[in-house]
Amino acid sequence: MSTLTRARCRLGAHPFALDAAIATGVLLCMIAGSFVAPHSSDGVSWQLRTPDPLSLVLMALGAAALVFRRRAPRTVLALAGAASVAESVTGDPRAPVVMCAVVALYTVASATDRPTTWRIGLLTMTVLTGTAMAAGPLPWYAQENLAIFAWTGIGATAGDAVRSRRAFIQAIRERAERAERTREEEARRRVAEERLRIARDLHDVVAHHIALVNVQAGVAAHVMDKRPDQAKEALAHVREASRSALGELRATVGLLRQSGDPEAPTEPAPGLDRLDELAGTFRSAGLRVEVARADQDTELPAAVGLAAYRIVQEALTNVQKHAGTEARAEISVVRVGPHIEITVLDDGSGDDHDPAPGGGHGLLGMRERVTALRGTLTTGPRFGGGFRVHAILPVKPRTSAAEDGRP
């Protein structure tokens, strides 16, 4: 960083000191210009002459007002303009007091909008130039009078250009910040959605298999002494359920691996093609399950198939846990136009059939899965006892992100 840049940064951090320095520089320039005699017999000459005391006072007042140009730009412009008008009327030869008005007009133009700049700029140029032409000691067509018009116009134009550049840079910064916030919000949203999806999968896997393990372990403990063969069969089911749970947990947790990690899961997500296998695991646990399908072997997208599988799994797990030992479950899968309907019914007693006692997440997870695919879910007790879970899923889902036009 150069010395000039460092000095500019230090002055930018202290605007009052910067304005005082600018006012001092303008005062020195005006005093130096007051020694020029533009109308001598030999033309412009750099001869020493003593400025009028009134001109020195007006130059000092105008420069002093510039110190406060950021705090009250219009008031400073009025004071500097009054000093310039007084000098134009009384000064002969005239001192360059108009420099104060030019700097003040630049400040007003850089701090306000374009229509205000036009109004104030035209008013300032008209007043200063008109006064110099009409009431000054020089002829109205003198170059000094035309110079006042030109310099005030330059001050207004330069201030408006600086304001436009600042607004452009600020707009670019705001657009970049907004884009950065949008990227961060999108990243957080995607992380939250992925966390929720993994949590649902873990809940479904654990709840299903642990329920089966619990039932089979209870059966084994009950018949261990009297019917050891049946106990061994129940323990075999426990071993099979635990092995399946570990496999699905490994596949789900494996989704959290980085792309370069070894042993990434390659097994496809479960779908309705494994519905018979799912029903068989519950039958082996003692639950009577019937399956009826009229979906014409519809090939579902992975997201829809997984959601349908998890809904049936969670519904049967709730039947196993809450509907009683004599309960019977019925599963139906039907293709209806662009939708597929999954229904799980049971004829449990209903005495302890709250699917989510104590604020569980079973029904909530099912509802979130269906909502994410723009489907509908209906759950509730059946007339005469039992419980009903009915889900309608689109065969070709539209996620909320795609519909809302989000990236």
Side-chain angles (χ1 to χ4, degrees):
M1 184 181 294
S2 64
T3 304
L4 180 59
T5 304
R6 287 196 296 268
R8 187 178 301 171
C9 292
R10 285 195 294 269
L11 289 175
H14 301 84
F16 188 79
L18 177 60
D19 291 339
I22 292 175
T24 302
V26 171
L27 178 60
L28 294 176
C29 290
M30 288 189 297
I31 293 176
S34 65
F35 288 94
V36 178
H39 293 288
S40 65
S41 58
D42 298 329
V44 177
S45 62
W46 290 91
Q47 61 184 1
L48 291 176
R49 71 176 181 88
T50 303
D52 295 334
L54 179 59
S55 297
L56 293 175
V57 171
L58 293 176
M59 287 186 288
L61 291 177
L66 291 180
V67 178
F68 306 96
R69 66 188 185 97
R70 295 178 194 264
R71 301 184 181 181
R74 299 191 186 188
T75 302
V76 171
L77 176 60
L79 293 175
S84 180
V85 167
E87 177 62 20
S88 297
V89 174
T90 62
D92 188 19
R94 188 180 297 163
V97 182
V98 73
M99 289 185 62
C100 298
V102 172
V103 175
L105 181 58
Y106 163 84
T107 304
V108 172
S110 65
T112 186
D113 53 59
R114 181 162 294 171
T116 303
T117 299
W118 275 97
R119 290 194 298 268
I120 295 179
L122 290 176
L123 178 62
T124 302
M125 287 188 291
T126 302
V127 171
L128 295 184
T129 307
T131 301
M133 289 181 174
L138 300 176
W140 69 270
Y141 53 83
Q143 292 183 357
E144 287 87 338
N145 296 336
L146 298 179
I148 293 176
F149 181 84
W151 281 108
T152 50
I154 291 174
T157 303
D160 182 71
V162 170
R163 179 199 56 78
S164 300
R165 181 176 180 274
R166 289 174 181 170
F168 177 72
I169 294 176
Q170 182 64 25
I172 292 177
R173 289 177 178 173
E174 291 177 355
R175 190 180 300 114
E177 292 174 358
R178 185 164 56 251
E180 184 66 24
R181 288 195 300 269
T182 301
R183 285 194 295 269
E184 293 177 355
E185 291 172 359
E186 178 67 14
R188 287 195 295 268
R189 184 184 66 83
R190 291 183 180 275
V191 169
E193 290 180 353
E194 184 66 13
R195 184 184 297 116
L196 181 61
R197 186 187 66 80
I198 294 175
R200 285 197 300 261
D201 284 342
L202 288 176
H203 170 270
D204 293 342
V205 170
V206 172
H208 164 60
H209 292 289
I210 294 302
L212 295 182
V213 168
N214 180 62
V215 171
Q216 295 294 342
V219 171
H222 182 70
V223 301
M224 179 67 71
D225 296 331
K226 297 181 180 179
R227 286 174 287 179
D229 293 338
Q230 187 175 353
K232 289 181 179 180
E233 182 180 355
L235 292 176
H237 288 309
V238 169
R239 184 171 59 252
E240 182 64 26
S242 61
R243 183 184 298 112
S244 178
L246 289 175
E248 291 199 37
L249 284 175
R250 186 179 297 109
T252 302
V253 175
L255 296 176
L256 301 177
R257 294 178 182 271
Q258 300 295 326
S259 58
D261 289 347
E263 299 181 1
T266 57
E267 182 181 358
L272 290 182
D273 55 336
R274 295 176 55 182
L275 183 59
D276 292 334
E277 177 185 345
L278 177 64
T281 61
F282 283 95
R283 292 191 188 102
S284 64
L287 178 66
R288 292 178 294 170
V289 181
E290 297 181 2
V291 179
R293 301 188 63 168
D295 55 344
Q296 293 83 39
D297 297 328
T298 302
E299 293 185 5
L300 299 176
V304 179
L306 177 61
Y309 181 89
R310 294 302 187 196
I311 289 170
V312 174
Q313 184 184 58
E314 180 62 30
L316 292 179
T317 301
N318 287 335
V319 174
Q320 182 77 48
K321 292 165 60 178
H322 305 293
T325 57
E326 301 299 325
R328 182 171 58 89
E330 299 178 1
I331 305 171
S332 67
V333 180
V334 181
R335 171 73 182 268
V336 181
H339 300 87
I340 189 164
E341 299 187 9
I342 299 97
T343 306
V344 180
L345 306 174
D346 70 80
D347 56 358
S349 62
D351 296 335
D352 185 22
H353 205 284
D354 181 6
H361 302 283
L363 289 182
L364 178 61
M366 282 193 280
R367 193 171 303 280
E368 289 173 345
R369 288 183 183 276
V370 173
T371 302
L373 297 173
R374 288 291 192 260
T376 59
L377 177 70
T378 305
T379 61
R382 299 174 62 193
F383 180 76
F387 203 79
R388 178 177 181 267
V389 175
H390 180 67
I392 302 177
L393 300 175
V395 175
K396 296 181 179 180
R398 286 189 306 165
T399 62
S400 58
E403 184 174 348
D404 295 341
R406 294 179 297 192

